[in-house]
Amino acid sequence: MKIGILAIVFFASLIIRFLHLENKNKSNEIKTKMLERAKIAKRIQAINKSSHNKHKISRLLIKMLEEFQFHDDVQPTLTETEIIEIEKQINLTLPLSYKLFLKYFGDGGTWIYTNSIDSIRNRSWLSDYRNELNEKIELDNKEIKVDSLLCLMSEDSNGGAWCWLTSEDTKDGEWPLAYYSLSDKKLHFKVENFAEWLKILTNSKGEVIRELDLDYQLGLG
């Protein structure tokens, strides 16, 4: 009889301990989510209060932050000092729209909607990933120097890459982007700037190249 009572007490204590741990884990999860939401709210507030709150990319960044559940492995944001140091390392001035992305959203991520975006810390040049390329690559019957192509992403699910056209001289310093395709080793679908690229991404929540290649010109699977 005593053995039976002891067994009941023992199992009851295990159940109580299990429930306690489960409640503690749930409580920690809730706290973590609340902290994440607070951080996101703080970033949104910072955008609204910044001198760039009228910039066309600001509304897109706020939308992306409000839909943070659609992103995964987003890298920490960068400070202005960190961005300046990176610019010194690559000897280029990054577009303002992209710098706002780095400052308020994050330094890339493995899953931003359905696109990956490289960390700028990687300094991903297309020539570093595609050794088979010649010195120049074709874009709309023009030739672009391969060593001027800085990757926004070095490889997507199709094996291609979105690249900044850093050699193009623009009035506002906003580099265009174009898509490198493995199918013909050429650049396609030039997008005016990062804000326009991000607009396609936030509206579709799908791969940007698939939104542009509606006629399956590149033979994407």
Side-chain angles (χ1 to χ4, degrees), residues 4 13 29 46-47 66 82 85 96 108 114 116 118 122 128 131 153 157 164 166:
S13 66
E29 287 178 9
I47 294 173
E66 290 174 339
E82 289 172 323
E85 184 58 33
L96 175 60
T114 57
S116 64
D118 290 356
N122 295 343
D128 294 333
N131 297 325
M153 64 179 71
S157 67
W164 302 98
T166 67

Side-chain angles (χ1 to χ4, degrees), residues 36-55:
E36 288 176 352
R37 289 173 185 171
K39 288 179 181 178
I40 291 170
K42 191 174 181 180
R43 291 188 202 176
I44 292 173
Q45 187 179 39
I47 294 173
N48 286 324
K49 288 184 175 181
S50 75
S51 59
H52 302 295
N53 60 0
K54 300 298 182 184
H55 194 288

Side-chain angles (χ1 to χ4, degrees), residues 55-72:
H55 194 288
K56 55 186 176 182
I57 204 170
S58 293
R59 297 301 101 192
L60 299 174
L61 294 177
I62 289 173
K63 182 177 180 181
M64 291 174 69
L65 287 168
E66 290 174 339
E67 299 177 338
F68 209 74
Q69 70 272 19
F70 291 106
H71 318 300
D72 188 31

